[in-house]
Amino acid sequence: MGAREVGLPDVVRSGSLPSRVTIWEVGARDGLQNESVVVPVAVKLEFLDRLAAAGLSVLEATSFVHPKWVPQLADAAELLSGLDARPGVVYPVLVPNERGLDRALEAGVSHIAIFASATETFASRNLNRTLDSQFEMFEPTVERALAAGMDVRGYVSMCFGDPWEGAVARSQVVAVGERLLEMGCSQLSLGDTIGVATPGQVESLLEGFRDVTRLAVHFHDTYGQALSNTLAALRCGVTTVDSSAGGLGGCPYAESATGNLATEDLVWMLDGLGIETGVDLDKLVETSVWMAEQLGRPSPSRVVRALAK
């Protein structure tokens, strides 16, 4: 049963919200990197093509992280060589360092993303760096990428809570984020890596940044707060939201992290608020049902489950 057949949601606009939101789809990267099995390249390519056909214009395709750490994405170069890019769709790639950048350049990538930590422990466990020395790795990567004409996005993990350190000071997150922006990142994605944030915390953190228009949000739904946190961010002026088709994903370096905000759940809410996304919800649901079949398990997205009946 499709969204149009259900006849919901009724559109009720709110003047405090943006008229359009860009969905940064991370299912093919952040979602599939957390699967216990390696998904074949052909399936990944079809997944990306189906997502593009559903109207998503930003598809984070893969990652050039060392295969030892993320074996599910060891086929990044093969995937990009087989990608039939659709006009108007961008396919960012995550890179951890200069070696990852070298591989991205070889593959002809035009958009990359780097990932930083807001906490000392996660920087050590994820990047093998201190909170401060992580920037020594990012600076030459960003400088070279910008010189090559690439667009660079910055991710910051553990912005709202850390499983080892607990609460994270707002000033610490802002300091890391502003440094990435000053380095040349065009956009900064603030990650609730373990899904502990609540709306008031989201508002408080966003208020700490100088320019909210350069911020995106990346929520996990561990405690069922991803949509409410997203709405809080939209009311603060954020217009880019990360999400994952079918709710795929988590974090391979933080065991308490569960799935990302499901793109279908996000689109259902945005459609009801009269916020444009360009996404065809029925096609997106069909895509996530198909991917769930490939993975051999049901989608955790509530909208997928409701509309796929």
Side-chain angles (χ1 to χ4, degrees), residues 20 49 88 154 169 175 178 183 228 250 256 274:
R20 185 175 182 86
D49 195 59
E178 292 286 2
M183 198 180 293
S228 57
S256 56

Side-chain angles (χ1 to χ4, degrees), residues 20-55:
R20 185 175 182 86
V21 162
T22 297
I23 297 177
W24 190 289
E25 172 60 47
V26 300
R29 194 276 303 171
D30 194 18
L32 296 185
Q33 77 174 16
N34 289 284
E35 290 303 312
S36 58
V37 297
V38 176
V39 176
V41 173
V43 173
K44 292 177 181 177
L45 289 171
E46 184 171 350
F47 187 38
L48 286 166
D49 195 59
R50 283 172 175 257
L51 291 171

Side-chain angles (χ1 to χ4, degrees), residues 3-304:
R4 287 185 296 275
E5 294 172 283
V6 175
L8 296 172
D10 287 336
V11 175
V12 180
R13 281 284 302 148
S14 171
S16 64
L17 296 172
S19 60
R20 185 175 182 86
V21 162
T22 297
I23 297 177
W24 190 289
E25 172 60 47
V26 300
R29 194 276 303 171
D30 194 18
L32 296 185
Q33 77 174 16
N34 289 284
E35 290 303 312
S36 58
V37 297
V38 176
V39 176
V41 173
V43 173
K44 292 177 181 177
L45 289 171
E46 184 171 350
F47 187 38
L48 286 166
D49 195 59
R50 283 172 175 257
L51 291 171
L56 289 155
S57 59
V58 184
L59 302 175
E60 198 164 85
T62 188
S63 170
F64 280 121
V65 175
H66 195 287
K68 175 183 177 182
W69 303 114
V70 186
Q72 295 86 344
L73 302 182
D75 55 9
E78 182 183 356
L79 179 137
L80 292 173
S81 66
L83 181 65
D84 185 13
R86 290 192 178 226
V89 179
V90 295
Y91 299 85
V93 170
L94 198 68
V95 303
N97 48 35
E98 285 195 272
R99 176 57 191 137
L101 176 62
D102 289 338
R103 296 175 65 196
L105 287 168
E106 291 170 7
V109 171
S110 59
H111 292 70
I112 66 165
I114 59 173
F115 53 98
S117 172
T119 67
E120 193 75 57
T121 305
F122 195 65
S124 174
R125 287 174 173 262
N126 190 26
L127 303 172
N128 198 28
R129 299 275 179 149
T130 65
L131 186 62
D132 190 59
S133 69
Q134 65 180 325
F135 296 100
E136 298 172 3
M137 181 170 61
F138 303 141
E139 286 169 352
T141 303
V142 174
E143 183 177 353
R144 287 182 54 206
L146 294 176
M150 288 178 160
D151 180 84
V152 183
R153 183 192 220 211
Y155 279 101
V156 183
S157 298
M158 301 296 174
C159 292
F160 299 93
D162 179 292
W164 302 281
E165 298 183 18
V168 182
R170 183 179 83 163
S171 59
Q172 189 166 300
V173 179
V174 172
V176 171
E178 292 286 2
R179 192 163 174 181
L180 290 174
L181 291 170
E182 292 168 1
M183 198 180 293
C185 291
S186 63
Q187 185 180 73
L188 188 71
S189 177
L190 303 174
D192 181 18
T193 314
I194 57 174
V196 295
T198 53
Q201 190 180 11
V202 172
E203 293 172 3
S204 175
L205 178 58
L206 293 175
E207 288 169 0
F209 285 88
R210 288 174 287 183
D211 185 2
V212 73
T213 65
R214 296 179 67 185
L215 303 180
V217 288
H218 185 119
F219 294 118
H220 287 213
D221 208 30
T222 311
Y223 294 93
Q225 302 297 298
L227 274 179
S228 57
N229 289 334
T230 298
L231 186 57
L234 297 180
R235 294 196 186 282
C236 291
V238 169
T239 59
T240 299
V241 179
D242 298 0
S243 63
S244 175
L248 297 172
C251 178
Y253 307 103
E255 292 182 3
S256 56
T258 57
N260 290 292
L261 168 62
T263 306
E264 294 83 359
D265 297 3
L266 174 63
V267 172
W268 182 273
M269 182 182 77
L270 296 179
D271 280 354
L273 291 166
I275 298 174
E276 296 180 15
T277 63
V279 176
D280 183 319
L281 182 56
D282 289 339
K283 287 185 178 179
L284 182 58
V285 169
E286 290 173 5
T287 296
S288 288
V289 169
W290 170 83
M291 178 52 78
E293 292 171 351
Q294 308 306 308
L295 298 173
R297 57 176 173 74
S299 167
S301 165
R302 294 185 180 183
V303 169
V304 171

